[in-house]
Amino acid sequence: SVPLTGQLESAIHTLMKNGFAETKAEVVRKAITRLVEEEAINAVLLSQKEAREGKLLEGDLRTLVDTLS
């Protein structure tokens, strides 16, 4: 059980009412899944940006790890 503010409780009930999910638990599971997906997308976008800026590492992975450690 996680304590939620009244605002979050209200948002959950609105999402349920609008058909996003049938239960509070399902709303939370879907929200966490979307957050994880969003973070993965952000990591890819950041990697693409860094690649465009020339911030790349090349070479043998083991050697790179040893160098960075």
Side-chain angles (χ1 to χ4, degrees):
S1 172
V2 177
L4 300 174
T5 64
Q7 185 178 9
L8 288 174
E9 284 282 349
S10 177
I12 288 172
H13 287 290
T14 299
L15 288 166
M16 290 169 53
K17 188 172 110 180
N18 292 338
F20 178 75
E22 292 186 21
T23 65
K24 286 182 181 182
E26 188 179 358
V27 170
V28 172
R29 280 192 296 273
K30 284 184 173 188
I32 292 170
T33 299
R34 285 187 179 194
L35 178 60
V36 168
E37 290 170 352
E38 184 179 311
E39 289 298 313
I41 290 168
N42 287 338
V44 169
L45 292 174
L46 178 60
S47 294
Q48 290 175 334
K49 177 181 178 277
E50 290 175 346
R52 283 192 302 273
E53 294 171 352
K55 298 177 182 175
L56 300 172
L57 296 176
E58 296 179 352
D60 179 69
L61 184 57
R62 293 177 201 277
T63 304
L64 290 169
V65 169
D66 290 341
T67 303
L68 296 172
S69 300

Short mmCIF file of all heavy atoms in Angstrom, two decimals:
data_model
loop_
_atom_site.label_atom_id
_atom_site.label_comp_id
_atom_site.label_asym_id
_atom_site.label_seq_id
_atom_site.Cartn_x
_atom_site.Cartn_y
_atom_site.Cartn_z
N SER A 1 0.84 -1.19 0.00
CA SER A 1 0.00 0.00 0.00
C SER A 1 0.88 1.25 0.00
O SER A 1 1.83 1.34 0.77
CB SER A 1 -0.90 -0.03 1.23
OG SER A 1 -1.58 1.18 1.35
N VAL A 2 0.54 2.18 -0.84
CA VAL A 2 1.29 3.42 -0.95
C VAL A 2 0.35 4.58 -0.65
O VAL A 2 -0.72 4.69 -1.27
CB VAL A 2 1.88 3.59 -2.38
CG1 VAL A 2 2.60 4.91 -2.52
CG2 VAL A 2 2.80 2.43 -2.70
N PRO A 3 0.72 5.44 0.30
CA PRO A 3 -0.15 6.58 0.58
C PRO A 3 -0.16 7.55 -0.60
O PRO A 3 0.90 7.86 -1.16
CB PRO A 3 0.47 7.22 1.83
CG PRO A 3 1.84 6.67 1.94
CD PRO A 3 1.89 5.39 1.16
N LEU A 4 -1.33 8.02 -0.98
CA LEU A 4 -1.48 8.95 -2.10
C LEU A 4 -2.18 10.22 -1.63
O LEU A 4 -3.02 10.18 -0.74
CB LEU A 4 -2.32 8.31 -3.22
CG LEU A 4 -1.78 7.03 -3.83
CD1 LEU A 4 -2.78 6.45 -4.80
CD2 LEU A 4 -0.45 7.28 -4.52
N THR A 5 -1.82 11.31 -2.26
CA THR A 5 -2.51 12.57 -1.96
C THR A 5 -3.93 12.50 -2.50
O THR A 5 -4.25 11.66 -3.36
CB THR A 5 -1.79 13.76 -2.62
OG1 THR A 5 -1.87 13.59 -4.04
CG2 THR A 5 -0.34 13.86 -2.18
N GLY A 6 -4.76 13.39 -2.04
CA GLY A 6 -6.13 13.46 -2.55
C GLY A 6 -6.15 13.71 -4.04
O GLY A 6 -7.01 13.17 -4.77
N GLN A 7 -5.22 14.52 -4.51
CA GLN A 7 -5.13 14.84 -5.94
C GLN A 7 -4.83 13.58 -6.76
O GLN A 7 -5.43 13.37 -7.82
CB GLN A 7 -4.07 15.90 -6.16
CG GLN A 7 -3.99 16.40 -7.59
CD GLN A 7 -2.95 17.50 -7.76
OE1 GLN A 7 -2.17 17.78 -6.87
NE2 GLN A 7 -2.94 18.12 -8.93
N LEU A 8 -3.90 12.76 -6.27
CA LEU A 8 -3.58 11.52 -6.99
C LEU A 8 -4.75 10.53 -6.94
O LEU A 8 -5.05 9.87 -7.94
CB LEU A 8 -2.31 10.88 -6.42
CG LEU A 8 -1.01 11.61 -6.75
CD1 LEU A 8 0.15 10.96 -6.01
CD2 LEU A 8 -0.75 11.64 -8.23
N GLU A 9 -5.40 10.43 -5.80
CA GLU A 9 -6.58 9.56 -5.69
C GLU A 9 -7.64 9.99 -6.69
O GLU A 9 -8.24 9.17 -7.37
CB GLU A 9 -7.15 9.60 -4.26
CG GLU A 9 -6.36 8.82 -3.25
CD GLU A 9 -6.61 7.32 -3.32
OE1 GLU A 9 -7.54 6.86 -4.01
OE2 GLU A 9 -5.84 6.60 -2.66
N SER A 10 -7.85 11.29 -6.78
CA SER A 10 -8.84 11.83 -7.71
C SER A 10 -8.46 11.51 -9.16
O SER A 10 -9.31 11.12 -9.97
CB SER A 10 -8.96 13.34 -7.51
OG SER A 10 -9.86 13.89 -8.44
N ALA A 11 -7.18 11.66 -9.47
CA ALA A 11 -6.71 11.36 -10.82
C ALA A 11 -6.92 9.89 -11.15
O ALA A 11 -7.35 9.55 -12.27
CB ALA A 11 -5.24 11.73 -10.95
N ILE A 12 -6.66 9.02 -10.20
CA ILE A 12 -6.86 7.58 -10.41
C ILE A 12 -8.33 7.29 -10.67
O ILE A 12 -8.67 6.55 -11.61
CB ILE A 12 -6.33 6.77 -9.20
CG1 ILE A 12 -4.80 6.79 -9.20
CG2 ILE A 12 -6.84 5.32 -9.25
CD1 ILE A 12 -4.17 6.18 -7.98
N HIS A 13 -9.20 7.86 -9.88
CA HIS A 13 -10.64 7.63 -10.07
C HIS A 13 -11.10 8.16 -11.42
O HIS A 13 -11.92 7.53 -12.10
CB HIS A 13 -11.44 8.23 -8.92
CG HIS A 13 -11.30 7.46 -7.65
ND1 HIS A 13 -11.85 6.21 -7.47
CD2 HIS A 13 -10.65 7.75 -6.50
CE1 HIS A 13 -11.56 5.76 -6.27
NE2 HIS A 13 -10.83 6.67 -5.65
N THR A 14 -10.57 9.30 -11.84
CA THR A 14 -10.92 9.86 -13.15
C THR A 14 -10.46 8.92 -14.26
O THR A 14 -11.20 8.67 -15.22
CB THR A 14 -10.28 11.25 -13.33
OG1 THR A 14 -10.79 12.13 -12.31
CG2 THR A 14 -10.59 11.83 -14.70
N LEU A 15 -9.25 8.41 -14.14
CA LEU A 15 -8.74 7.47 -15.14
C LEU A 15 -9.61 6.21 -15.21
O LEU A 15 -9.90 5.71 -16.29
CB LEU A 15 -7.28 7.10 -14.85
CG LEU A 15 -6.27 8.22 -15.12
CD1 LEU A 15 -4.93 7.89 -14.47
CD2 LEU A 15 -6.11 8.44 -16.61
N MET A 16 -10.02 5.72 -14.05
CA MET A 16 -10.89 4.54 -14.02
C MET A 16 -12.23 4.86 -14.67
O MET A 16 -12.74 4.08 -15.47
CB MET A 16 -11.06 4.06 -12.58
CG MET A 16 -9.81 3.44 -11.99
SD MET A 16 -9.88 3.14 -10.20
CE MET A 16 -11.37 2.20 -10.03
N LYS A 17 -12.78 6.01 -14.33
CA LYS A 17 -14.08 6.43 -14.86
C LYS A 17 -14.02 6.57 -16.39
O LYS A 17 -14.97 6.25 -17.09
CB LYS A 17 -14.50 7.76 -14.23
CG LYS A 17 -15.91 8.20 -14.55
CD LYS A 17 -16.28 9.41 -13.72
CE LYS A 17 -16.36 10.60 -14.64
NZ LYS A 17 -16.72 11.84 -13.97
N ASN A 18 -12.86 7.04 -16.90
CA ASN A 18 -12.70 7.24 -18.33
C ASN A 18 -12.28 5.99 -19.08
O ASN A 18 -12.02 6.04 -20.28
CB ASN A 18 -11.70 8.37 -18.59
CG ASN A 18 -12.23 9.72 -18.16
OD1 ASN A 18 -13.43 9.92 -18.05
ND2 ASN A 18 -11.33 10.64 -17.89
N GLY A 19 -12.16 4.87 -18.37
CA GLY A 19 -11.88 3.60 -19.02
C GLY A 19 -10.41 3.26 -19.21
O GLY A 19 -10.08 2.30 -19.91
N PHE A 20 -9.51 4.02 -18.61
CA PHE A 20 -8.08 3.72 -18.72
C PHE A 20 -7.77 2.38 -18.07
O PHE A 20 -6.94 1.62 -18.56
CB PHE A 20 -7.26 4.84 -18.07
CG PHE A 20 -5.78 4.63 -18.09
CD1 PHE A 20 -5.05 4.79 -19.26
CD2 PHE A 20 -5.10 4.26 -16.94
CE1 PHE A 20 -3.68 4.59 -19.28
CE2 PHE A 20 -3.73 4.07 -16.95
CZ PHE A 20 -3.02 4.23 -18.13
N ALA A 21 -8.45 2.10 -16.97
CA ALA A 21 -8.23 0.85 -16.23
C ALA A 21 -9.46 0.57 -15.38
O ALA A 21 -10.26 1.47 -15.12
CB ALA A 21 -6.99 0.97 -15.36
N GLU A 22 -9.57 -0.68 -14.94
CA GLU A 22 -10.74 -1.05 -14.14
C GLU A 22 -10.50 -0.93 -12.65
O GLU A 22 -11.45 -0.80 -11.88
CB GLU A 22 -11.16 -2.48 -14.49
CG GLU A 22 -11.72 -2.60 -15.91
CD GLU A 22 -12.26 -3.98 -16.20
OE1 GLU A 22 -12.57 -4.72 -15.23
OE2 GLU A 22 -12.37 -4.32 -17.38
N THR A 23 -9.23 -1.01 -12.22
CA THR A 23 -8.93 -0.96 -10.80
C THR A 23 -7.78 0.02 -10.54
O THR A 23 -7.04 0.38 -11.45
CB THR A 23 -8.49 -2.34 -10.28
OG1 THR A 23 -7.25 -2.69 -10.92
CG2 THR A 23 -9.54 -3.41 -10.54
N LYS A 24 -7.64 0.42 -9.27
CA LYS A 24 -6.53 1.29 -8.88
C LYS A 24 -5.20 0.62 -9.20
O LYS A 24 -4.28 1.26 -9.73
CB LYS A 24 -6.56 1.58 -7.38
CG LYS A 24 -7.61 2.54 -6.94
CD LYS A 24 -7.44 2.75 -5.43
CE LYS A 24 -8.46 3.67 -4.84
NZ LYS A 24 -8.23 3.89 -3.41
N ALA A 25 -5.10 -0.66 -8.89
CA ALA A 25 -3.85 -1.39 -9.12
C ALA A 25 -3.50 -1.39 -10.61
O ALA A 25 -2.33 -1.22 -10.98
CB ALA A 25 -3.97 -2.82 -8.61
N GLU A 26 -4.49 -1.54 -11.46
CA GLU A 26 -4.24 -1.55 -12.90
C GLU A 26 -3.78 -0.17 -13.37
O GLU A 26 -2.89 -0.06 -14.22
CB GLU A 26 -5.50 -1.98 -13.65
CG GLU A 26 -5.27 -2.19 -15.13
CD GLU A 26 -6.52 -2.64 -15.87
OE1 GLU A 26 -7.58 -2.85 -15.24
OE2 GLU A 26 -6.42 -2.78 -17.10
N VAL A 27 -4.37 0.89 -12.82
CA VAL A 27 -3.93 2.25 -13.15
C VAL A 27 -2.46 2.41 -12.79
O VAL A 27 -1.66 2.91 -13.59
CB VAL A 27 -4.77 3.33 -12.42
CG1 VAL A 27 -4.15 4.71 -12.58
CG2 VAL A 27 -6.21 3.33 -12.92
N VAL A 28 -2.08 1.99 -11.59
CA VAL A 28 -0.70 2.14 -11.14
C VAL A 28 0.24 1.30 -12.00
O VAL A 28 1.31 1.78 -12.41
CB VAL A 28 -0.57 1.77 -9.64
CG1 VAL A 28 0.88 1.74 -9.20
CG2 VAL A 28 -1.37 2.76 -8.79
N ARG A 29 -0.14 0.06 -12.30
CA ARG A 29 0.70 -0.80 -13.15
C ARG A 29 0.91 -0.17 -14.52
O ARG A 29 2.04 -0.11 -15.04
CB ARG A 29 0.09 -2.20 -13.31
CG ARG A 29 0.33 -3.11 -12.13
CD ARG A 29 -0.03 -4.55 -12.46
NE ARG A 29 -1.45 -4.72 -12.74
CZ ARG A 29 -2.38 -4.95 -11.81
NH1 ARG A 29 -2.04 -5.03 -10.53
NH2 ARG A 29 -3.63 -5.10 -12.15
N LYS A 30 -0.17 0.33 -15.12
CA LYS A 30 -0.06 0.96 -16.44
C LYS A 30 0.79 2.22 -16.37
O LYS A 30 1.59 2.49 -17.27
CB LYS A 30 -1.44 1.28 -17.00
CG LYS A 30 -2.18 0.07 -17.52
CD LYS A 30 -3.49 0.48 -18.15
CE LYS A 30 -4.18 -0.70 -18.81
NZ LYS A 30 -5.36 -0.28 -19.59
N ALA A 31 0.63 3.00 -15.31
CA ALA A 31 1.41 4.22 -15.16
C ALA A 31 2.90 3.91 -15.03
O ALA A 31 3.74 4.58 -15.65
CB ALA A 31 0.92 5.02 -13.96
N ILE A 32 3.22 2.91 -14.25
CA ILE A 32 4.63 2.53 -14.08
C ILE A 32 5.20 2.01 -15.39
O ILE A 32 6.32 2.35 -15.78
CB ILE A 32 4.79 1.49 -12.94
CG1 ILE A 32 4.48 2.17 -11.60
CG2 ILE A 32 6.19 0.89 -12.94
CD1 ILE A 32 4.38 1.20 -10.44
N THR A 33 4.43 1.20 -16.11
CA THR A 33 4.87 0.68 -17.40
C THR A 33 5.15 1.83 -18.36
O THR A 33 6.18 1.85 -19.05
CB THR A 33 3.81 -0.26 -18.00
OG1 THR A 33 3.63 -1.36 -17.11
CG2 THR A 33 4.21 -0.77 -19.37
N ARG A 34 4.26 2.81 -18.41
CA ARG A 34 4.47 3.96 -19.29
C ARG A 34 5.70 4.77 -18.87
O ARG A 34 6.45 5.25 -19.72
CB ARG A 34 3.24 4.85 -19.30
CG ARG A 34 2.10 4.25 -20.11
CD ARG A 34 0.96 5.20 -20.26
NE ARG A 34 -0.09 4.59 -21.06
CZ ARG A 34 -1.09 5.27 -21.57
NH1 ARG A 34 -1.20 6.57 -21.36
NH2 ARG A 34 -2.01 4.66 -22.28
N LEU A 35 5.92 4.91 -17.59
CA LEU A 35 7.10 5.64 -17.11
C LEU A 35 8.37 4.92 -17.51
O LEU A 35 9.33 5.55 -17.98
CB LEU A 35 7.03 5.82 -15.59
CG LEU A 35 8.23 6.52 -14.95
CD1 LEU A 35 8.40 7.93 -15.51
CD2 LEU A 35 8.05 6.56 -13.43
N VAL A 36 8.40 3.61 -17.36
CA VAL A 36 9.58 2.82 -17.75
C VAL A 36 9.84 2.97 -19.25
O VAL A 36 10.98 3.17 -19.68
CB VAL A 36 9.40 1.34 -17.36
CG1 VAL A 36 10.46 0.46 -17.99
CG2 VAL A 36 9.41 1.19 -15.85
N GLU A 37 8.76 2.90 -20.05
CA GLU A 37 8.91 3.06 -21.50
C GLU A 37 9.41 4.46 -21.84
O GLU A 37 10.28 4.63 -22.69
CB GLU A 37 7.57 2.79 -22.19
CG GLU A 37 7.15 1.35 -22.15
CD GLU A 37 5.72 1.11 -22.61
OE1 GLU A 37 4.97 2.10 -22.83
OE2 GLU A 37 5.34 -0.07 -22.75
N GLU A 38 8.87 5.48 -21.17
CA GLU A 38 9.28 6.86 -21.41
C GLU A 38 10.76 7.06 -21.07
O GLU A 38 11.49 7.72 -21.81
CB GLU A 38 8.42 7.80 -20.56
CG GLU A 38 8.69 9.26 -20.78
CD GLU A 38 7.78 10.14 -19.94
OE1 GLU A 38 6.55 9.91 -19.96
OE2 GLU A 38 8.30 11.04 -19.27
N GLU A 39 11.21 6.48 -19.97
CA GLU A 39 12.61 6.58 -19.58
C GLU A 39 13.51 5.90 -20.61
O GLU A 39 14.60 6.39 -20.91
CB GLU A 39 12.83 5.98 -18.18
CG GLU A 39 12.24 6.83 -17.07
CD GLU A 39 12.85 8.21 -16.99
OE1 GLU A 39 14.09 8.34 -17.02
OE2 GLU A 39 12.09 9.19 -16.90
N ALA A 40 13.08 4.76 -21.15
CA ALA A 40 13.86 4.06 -22.18
C ALA A 40 13.95 4.91 -23.44
O ALA A 40 15.03 5.02 -24.05
CB ALA A 40 13.24 2.70 -22.49
N ILE A 41 12.85 5.52 -23.83
CA ILE A 41 12.85 6.40 -25.01
C ILE A 41 13.78 7.58 -24.78
O ILE A 41 14.57 7.95 -25.66
CB ILE A 41 11.42 6.87 -25.33
CG1 ILE A 41 10.60 5.70 -25.86
CG2 ILE A 41 11.44 8.03 -26.34
CD1 ILE A 41 9.11 5.95 -25.94
N ASN A 42 13.71 8.19 -23.59
CA ASN A 42 14.58 9.32 -23.27
C ASN A 42 16.06 8.92 -23.32
O ASN A 42 16.90 9.70 -23.78
CB ASN A 42 14.24 9.92 -21.91
CG ASN A 42 12.94 10.69 -21.94
OD1 ASN A 42 12.50 11.14 -22.99
ND2 ASN A 42 12.32 10.85 -20.79
N ALA A 43 16.37 7.71 -22.88
CA ALA A 43 17.76 7.24 -22.92
C ALA A 43 18.24 7.09 -24.37
O ALA A 43 19.37 7.46 -24.71
CB ALA A 43 17.89 5.91 -22.18
N VAL A 44 17.38 6.58 -25.24
CA VAL A 44 17.73 6.44 -26.66
C VAL A 44 17.91 7.81 -27.29
O VAL A 44 18.88 8.04 -28.03
CB VAL A 44 16.65 5.62 -27.42
CG1 VAL A 44 16.87 5.69 -28.92
CG2 VAL A 44 16.65 4.17 -26.95
N LEU A 45 16.99 8.73 -27.01
CA LEU A 45 17.10 10.08 -27.57
C LEU A 45 18.37 10.78 -27.11
O LEU A 45 19.05 11.45 -27.90
CB LEU A 45 15.87 10.91 -27.20
CG LEU A 45 14.55 10.46 -27.84
CD1 LEU A 45 13.38 11.27 -27.28
CD2 LEU A 45 14.60 10.56 -29.35
N LEU A 46 18.73 10.60 -25.85
CA LEU A 46 19.96 11.19 -25.34
C LEU A 46 21.17 10.57 -26.03
O LEU A 46 22.11 11.28 -26.41
CB LEU A 46 20.06 11.00 -23.82
CG LEU A 46 21.34 11.52 -23.16
CD1 LEU A 46 21.49 13.03 -23.39
CD2 LEU A 46 21.34 11.20 -21.68
N SER A 47 21.16 9.27 -26.22
CA SER A 47 22.26 8.60 -26.91
C SER A 47 22.40 9.10 -28.34
O SER A 47 23.51 9.33 -28.82
CB SER A 47 22.04 7.08 -26.93
OG SER A 47 22.10 6.57 -25.63
N GLN A 48 21.27 9.30 -29.02
CA GLN A 48 21.31 9.82 -30.38
C GLN A 48 21.89 11.23 -30.41
O GLN A 48 22.70 11.56 -31.28
CB GLN A 48 19.91 9.82 -31.00
CG GLN A 48 19.39 8.44 -31.31
CD GLN A 48 17.96 8.45 -31.80
OE1 GLN A 48 17.18 9.37 -31.51
NE2 GLN A 48 17.59 7.44 -32.57
N LYS A 49 21.49 12.05 -29.45
CA LYS A 49 22.00 13.43 -29.36
C LYS A 49 23.51 13.42 -29.13
O LYS A 49 24.25 14.15 -29.79
CB LYS A 49 21.30 14.16 -28.22
CG LYS A 49 21.79 15.58 -27.98
CD LYS A 49 21.03 16.21 -26.80
CE LYS A 49 21.51 17.59 -26.49
NZ LYS A 49 22.68 17.62 -25.64
N GLU A 50 23.95 12.58 -28.21
CA GLU A 50 25.38 12.49 -27.91
C GLU A 50 26.16 11.97 -29.12
O GLU A 50 27.28 12.42 -29.39
CB GLU A 50 25.62 11.62 -26.68
CG GLU A 50 25.15 12.29 -25.40
CD GLU A 50 25.26 11.39 -24.18
OE1 GLU A 50 25.46 10.17 -24.33
OE2 GLU A 50 25.13 11.94 -23.07
N ALA A 51 25.57 11.05 -29.87
CA ALA A 51 26.23 10.53 -31.07
C ALA A 51 26.38 11.64 -32.11
O ALA A 51 27.44 11.77 -32.74
CB ALA A 51 25.45 9.36 -31.65
N ARG A 52 25.33 12.46 -32.28
CA ARG A 52 25.41 13.58 -33.23
C ARG A 52 26.47 14.58 -32.81
O ARG A 52 27.10 15.23 -33.65
CB ARG A 52 24.06 14.29 -33.33
CG ARG A 52 23.03 13.56 -34.16
CD ARG A 52 21.82 14.42 -34.47
NE ARG A 52 21.16 14.92 -33.27
CZ ARG A 52 20.22 14.30 -32.57
NH1 ARG A 52 19.82 13.10 -32.96
NH2 ARG A 52 19.67 14.84 -31.51
N GLU A 53 26.70 14.71 -31.50
CA GLU A 53 27.69 15.64 -30.98
C GLU A 53 29.11 15.03 -30.98
O GLU A 53 30.06 15.66 -30.53
CB GLU A 53 27.32 16.06 -29.56
CG GLU A 53 26.04 16.88 -29.49
CD GLU A 53 25.55 17.12 -28.07
OE1 GLU A 53 26.11 16.52 -27.12
OE2 GLU A 53 24.59 17.89 -27.90
N GLY A 54 29.21 13.80 -31.44
CA GLY A 54 30.51 13.15 -31.52
C GLY A 54 30.97 12.52 -30.21
O GLY A 54 32.12 12.17 -30.06
N LYS A 55 30.06 12.38 -29.27
CA LYS A 55 30.41 11.80 -27.97
C LYS A 55 30.22 10.28 -28.04
O LYS A 55 29.31 9.73 -27.46
CB LYS A 55 29.54 12.39 -26.86
CG LYS A 55 29.72 13.88 -26.69
CD LYS A 55 28.78 14.42 -25.64
CE LYS A 55 28.92 15.91 -25.48
NZ LYS A 55 27.93 16.45 -24.54
N LEU A 56 31.12 9.63 -28.76
CA LEU A 56 31.02 8.19 -28.95
C LEU A 56 32.22 7.48 -28.32
O LEU A 56 33.31 8.05 -28.24
CB LEU A 56 30.99 7.85 -30.45
CG LEU A 56 29.84 8.44 -31.25
CD1 LEU A 56 30.07 8.17 -32.74
CD2 LEU A 56 28.52 7.83 -30.81
N LEU A 57 32.00 6.28 -27.93
CA LEU A 57 33.08 5.42 -27.46
C LEU A 57 33.23 4.31 -28.49
O LEU A 57 32.25 3.69 -28.89
CB LEU A 57 32.76 4.83 -26.09
CG LEU A 57 32.62 5.82 -24.94
CD1 LEU A 57 32.21 5.08 -23.67
CD2 LEU A 57 33.93 6.55 -24.70
N GLU A 58 34.45 4.07 -28.90
CA GLU A 58 34.69 3.01 -29.87
C GLU A 58 35.77 2.09 -29.34
O GLU A 58 36.64 2.51 -28.58
CB GLU A 58 35.14 3.60 -31.21
CG GLU A 58 34.08 4.45 -31.88
CD GLU A 58 34.55 5.05 -33.18
OE1 GLU A 58 35.76 4.94 -33.50
OE2 GLU A 58 33.73 5.65 -33.87
N GLY A 59 35.68 0.82 -29.72
CA GLY A 59 36.71 -0.12 -29.33
C GLY A 59 36.14 -1.34 -28.65
O GLY A 59 34.93 -1.56 -28.60
N ASP A 60 37.03 -2.11 -28.09
CA ASP A 60 36.66 -3.33 -27.38
C ASP A 60 35.96 -2.98 -26.08
O ASP A 60 36.45 -2.15 -25.30
CB ASP A 60 37.94 -4.15 -27.09
CG ASP A 60 37.62 -5.41 -26.33
OD1 ASP A 60 36.99 -6.31 -26.91
OD2 ASP A 60 37.99 -5.47 -25.14
N LEU A 61 34.83 -3.59 -25.85
CA LEU A 61 34.03 -3.26 -24.67
C LEU A 61 34.79 -3.51 -23.38
O LEU A 61 34.75 -2.70 -22.45
CB LEU A 61 32.72 -4.06 -24.68
CG LEU A 61 31.73 -3.77 -23.55
CD1 LEU A 61 31.36 -2.28 -23.54
CD2 LEU A 61 30.49 -4.62 -23.69
N ARG A 62 35.52 -4.60 -23.29
CA ARG A 62 36.27 -4.90 -22.07
C ARG A 62 37.34 -3.83 -21.79
O ARG A 62 37.55 -3.40 -20.67
CB ARG A 62 36.92 -6.28 -22.14
CG ARG A 62 35.93 -7.42 -22.15
CD ARG A 62 36.64 -8.76 -22.28
NE ARG A 62 35.78 -9.78 -22.77
CZ ARG A 62 34.95 -10.51 -22.04
NH1 ARG A 62 34.87 -10.29 -20.75
NH2 ARG A 62 34.20 -11.44 -22.57
N THR A 63 38.01 -3.40 -22.86
CA THR A 63 39.03 -2.36 -22.71
C THR A 63 38.39 -1.03 -22.28
O THR A 63 38.91 -0.33 -21.41
CB THR A 63 39.79 -2.16 -24.04
OG1 THR A 63 40.34 -3.40 -24.44
CG2 THR A 63 40.88 -1.11 -23.89
N LEU A 64 37.25 -0.69 -22.87
CA LEU A 64 36.54 0.52 -22.50
C LEU A 64 36.14 0.50 -21.03
O LEU A 64 36.28 1.49 -20.32
CB LEU A 64 35.32 0.74 -23.40
CG LEU A 64 35.59 1.13 -24.84
CD1 LEU A 64 34.32 1.05 -25.66
CD2 LEU A 64 36.20 2.53 -24.89
N VAL A 65 35.63 -0.63 -20.59
CA VAL A 65 35.21 -0.77 -19.19
C VAL A 65 36.40 -0.59 -18.27
O VAL A 65 36.33 0.14 -17.27
CB VAL A 65 34.51 -2.12 -18.94
CG1 VAL A 65 34.32 -2.37 -17.46
CG2 VAL A 65 33.16 -2.17 -19.67
N ASP A 66 37.51 -1.22 -18.62
CA ASP A 66 38.73 -1.08 -17.80
C ASP A 66 39.20 0.37 -17.77
O ASP A 66 39.61 0.88 -16.72
CB ASP A 66 39.84 -1.98 -18.34
CG ASP A 66 39.55 -3.46 -18.09
OD1 ASP A 66 38.70 -3.76 -17.21
OD2 ASP A 66 40.16 -4.29 -18.78
N THR A 67 39.11 1.05 -18.90
CA THR A 67 39.54 2.43 -19.00
C THR A 67 38.66 3.36 -18.16
O THR A 67 39.14 4.28 -17.51
CB THR A 67 39.53 2.90 -20.47
OG1 THR A 67 40.36 2.03 -21.23
CG2 THR A 67 40.02 4.34 -20.61
N LEU A 68 37.37 3.10 -18.18
CA LEU A 68 36.42 3.96 -17.48
C LEU A 68 36.32 3.65 -15.99
O LEU A 68 35.80 4.45 -15.24
CB LEU A 68 35.04 3.85 -18.13
CG LEU A 68 34.96 4.35 -19.57
CD1 LEU A 68 33.60 4.02 -20.18
CD2 LEU A 68 35.25 5.84 -19.67
N SER A 69 36.82 2.51 -15.58
CA SER A 69 36.72 2.11 -14.16
C SER A 69 37.75 2.79 -13.30
O SER A 69 38.76 3.24 -13.65
CB SER A 69 36.87 0.61 -14.01
OG SER A 69 35.88 -0.07 -14.72
#
